[in-house]
Amino acid sequence: MHQSSSGMYSSVEFFNLCIFFIIILLEKSSAAHYQYEACVPKACGTLSIKFPFYIRGLQESYCGHPGFELSCSNSPAIHLTEDDYVIDNIQYENRIFRVHNEAVSTVGGCLPQIRNISEDSQLGIVDTSRLHLLSNCNSELPEVLSSYKVNYCDPFNKEDLGLVMLGEDKNLTIALQECNTNVLAPVEVDKNGGNGIVDYEGLLRKGFLLNWKVADCSKCERSGGRCGFNEADGRTRCFCPDRPHSESCKPLSKNARGREMN
Ligand SMILES: *[C@@H]1O[C@H](CO)[C@@H](O)[C@H](O)[C@H]1NC(C)=O
Ligand SMILES: *[C@@H]1O[C@H](CO)[C@@H](O)[C@H](O)[C@H]1NC(C)=O
């Protein structure tokens, strides 16, 4: 029955063994480049995360751009200036994403501590109004300001009281004279909203849009690649199944080839 059990392979067995090793070799040589493999988009909450973002601990830092590191608990969040902002959606094709201050989601009926957010060369705030969060105000406030009073959730000033009004509000000039601390939170308001009492919790929860100005990845993605970042030269790369390219997995056209090595 077992004619080959003496230790010699039958020709059929030898043939099968050869096929087996050939398959192994083919698989090895056809495996995609490790950076292309590593930068596959990952889910966080309902969002798909890819360049310029990367999730700390879940994706390699070279899969994103410096400054675009996210944390992921239930939803993705990004640290901007001094606060964490929850990301509610990302429009990769338009390079914009919607955020709201993380402190806002956890509380209700009071104003959490929010700090100024600053723009930089990589991230800009898309055309919004500003909500002025005023604190350290004089104890005797003019009557006209009384309807703007709010309570802070976590008292960090003596009276635990502040004023909230939009940048367009006509009473803002008076308020600025009465309060020593002013923090500006970007918010989106209707054309006719501007004066008087605002639903500050609703506005802060709705959040605002940010747009990123770092490398556009559409050309790379259209060619089947995944964008990433090369820390050595501080430039964006297009990770392709074969190897990293500069812009696209497809060879450049003849006239473009002279300008840049792909
Ligand atoms: C200032 O606020 C009061 C409400 O406290 C409002 O009646 C008044 O119209 C506001 N003034 C202006 C110029 O908007
Ligand atoms: C926040 O920014 C505004 C405008 O740049 C500035 O006037 C204000 O003093 C800043 N507030 C704090 C607390 O730094």
Side-chain angles (χ1 to χ4, degrees), residues 116 181-184:
N116 269 341
T181 308
N182 179 21
V183 169
L184 307 188

Side-chain angles (χ1 to χ4, degrees), residues 212-262:
W212 67 85
K213 303 163 196 165
V214 298
D216 183 1
C217 185
S218 54
K219 195 174 171 190
C220 170
E221 286 189 341
R222 274 200 307 274
S223 74
R226 293 167 184 161
C227 280
F229 190 78
N230 182 16
E231 268 152 35
D233 65 3
R235 293 185 63 179
T236 305
R237 282 286 180 285
C238 185
F239 298 138
C240 302
D242 62 340
R243 63 182 173 84
H245 295 245
S246 68
E247 262 187 50
S248 158
C249 300
K250 300 237 169 69
L252 291 174
S253 63
K254 274 198 184 97
N255 46 5
R257 199 173 292 147
R259 281 189 271 116
E260 189 175 13
M261 290 279 292
N262 196 36

